Amino acid sequence: MKKLFLLMAAGSVCLNVSAQQANQLMHSTNQNHRMQQVDSRVGATKENARVDYSHLMKTTATVFQSENFSTGSGKTPPPGWLASGGWDWRNSAPVGYYTRGIIAAPATATNGYVCYRADSISSFLPTTILTGTLTSPSYSCTGHTKVGLRFYNWYTNFQDSCFVDVSNNNGATWTTFPVFPNNNLAPNEALPVNPTRTTINISAVAANQANVKIRFNYQGRAGGAYQWLVDDMELIDMDPVDVAIDKGGVIMSTGTAYTGVGGVPKTFVDTLWPLTLASNFGGDPQTNMTVNNAIYNAGGTSVLSLPYTFPAFPINAYDSLTDVTGSTGLITSTVGNYTAVSSVNVTGDVDATNNRDTTMFAITDSVWYQESGTYKWAYWAHSSPAATQGEESQFIGTRYAIPAGKSDTLTHINVAFLNTTTPGVTLSVQMYQFSGGAWTPFASTYTKTLTAADISASGQVSFARFTIDETQSGGPVILGNATAAQTVAAVVQLHNVPSTSTVRIWGTDGPAFSILGQGTGLTDTSNNNGAFDFPNGTLPFTLGNSAPAIRLVFGTRQTVSVKDVYAAEVGNAYPNPANNTINIPFQMNEAANVNVVITNSVGATVTTKNVGNFGANQAGKAVIDVTSYANGVYFYTVEANGQRITKRFTVTH
């Protein structure tokens, strides 16, 4: 298996490099490469898709200067623009190993745009510090008292930063404005909209000035990054009042922390609060601005109302949290769909379309999930060389935070596989607990070989069922305890997936906010052999606020039958490690002819044995001579009625 590590820039969006980011870099592989956006989006689930309103901002503002970048040529920006570092002009997709395509600015991309194409410049050289600026000619803002800079951009980041600098003295001094304030983008997460229309209030520098220059400024550490595409820049007379809210969601207390809520079983419900993020895109600051946060049940009745007032809401305030967690939240065990609604009403607001945000979540009887919104992401668990220019295997998982005093029995784990997943690959889902600074495995499902029925059809989302293997855990798997909060993760494990196969898992936005201090989705490099460990036992790399479609199912465990997909239950081989022989026990759930296949650590078949015909509810055992086996790890697969269950053992002579 080839591991595609990027020696890339630490430093999150709009933040300088930190020790935390450097630590993240140690565990980083190409996250944007694996988290592919699906072009044809599947319809929304019962949770509403979250709306990114940034492309609606400033629709009524008057433009007094503009640049559509149509007069560039070759790689040279339009006359009067000065480029340094990696900036150049394009009218087609930029060239680079991990470029993300062309900017989709409305009807203007093909006439030209500018691009910082970091990855193709540096070639991932670990000693090259990446910086680049693109400086405009001089513009007159005389007579304009509230000046906004507006432009379309598409930014795919790898712990790097984007800024806009403004000068009113021919570049002698510059004032810096972050393009994405408050670090609202997680590392390795593409913008949800291509492109986003960004507005920055630059009145403090540009108002009534005759000699204003704009400088697009990219900053990154050694090793490279992805790209920043910019088009259709405008200087505008800002509307005095334009506030907006978006990215709403619901969080739940775990006693010591918070977790986002997509759907949570009634047995795990603790205090719930609605949250949203507010922004000021107008020319004037606001005072005593109140955002109304409420939760409604399926019948439309309000079950919680928590207004939040900003005493001062300055210009360029962006993604400002309406933090109501200090108030009495909602605790309910009533199963059903709920709607969190946040709204703001400010006199004179020029654009009311972005003053309301709605998010749906659910209290369920037995299913816990983190997806929230339209299924639009796909996460590579395994990619073939044809798909990604190199084979790559990844752990993909979803994190769950369990409140203290809550518990229930885990019976199944459901996973939604994208239609491009290859049938015939063998997988399981491993449960980890985070404790003492490391992830420790404590339970697993049976292995499962995917059939076409387990994989979503094109344009649809369906779930494959993985049954908890109680023989591995010694009994029922109970999540949660009475004394402390617990953090667990359900992680899809690969079992010698062929290099030519593809495994992709559906995903959506997650219900968490960055203030929670943890992402919902998890990933790290996989060994593609079913091993139950993350490298060095460290925290896997977070997928930001993204959530793979991996769901926990709770309840009373029923007797395993054909309804659970498996024709047989397979026990743990013994003795393990083996020296002379290995015994492989199994229990039939339906009549079948049983075969056992032994493979080595690179997937080559070592032994195939037909064990014979067995009836329903009959126990059996395969005895395999391993005296000629070399020392090492081997895998045994029990085949019955076209179904396969795989586990591993070790030979030590």
Side-chain angles (χ1 to χ4, degrees), residues 243 245 278 286-293 306-311 313 322 342-346 355:
V243 297
I245 60 171
Q286 302 298 314
T287 58
N288 296 320
M289 186 183 80
T290 298
V291 177
N292 295 301
N293 301 289
L306 295 174
Y308 182 87
T309 299
F310 292 94
F313 201 55
T322 63
S342 299
S343 60
V344 63
N345 184 16
V346 179
N355 290 13

Side-chain angles (χ1 to χ4, degrees), residues 71-85:
T71 57
S73 62
K75 292 185 179 180
T76 304
W81 286 79
L82 299 177
S84 71

Side-chain angles (χ1 to χ4, degrees), residues 167-190:
S167 173
N168 57 20
N169 54 13
N170 201 35
T173 59
W174 296 89
T175 299
T176 297
F177 298 86
V179 175
F180 304 107
N182 295 355
N183 190 30
N184 67 304
L185 288 180
N188 298 297
E189 185 174 4

Side-chain angles (χ1 to χ4, degrees), residues 77-82 135-138 213:
W81 286 79
L82 299 177
T135 305
S136 75
S138 179
K213 288 189 174 183

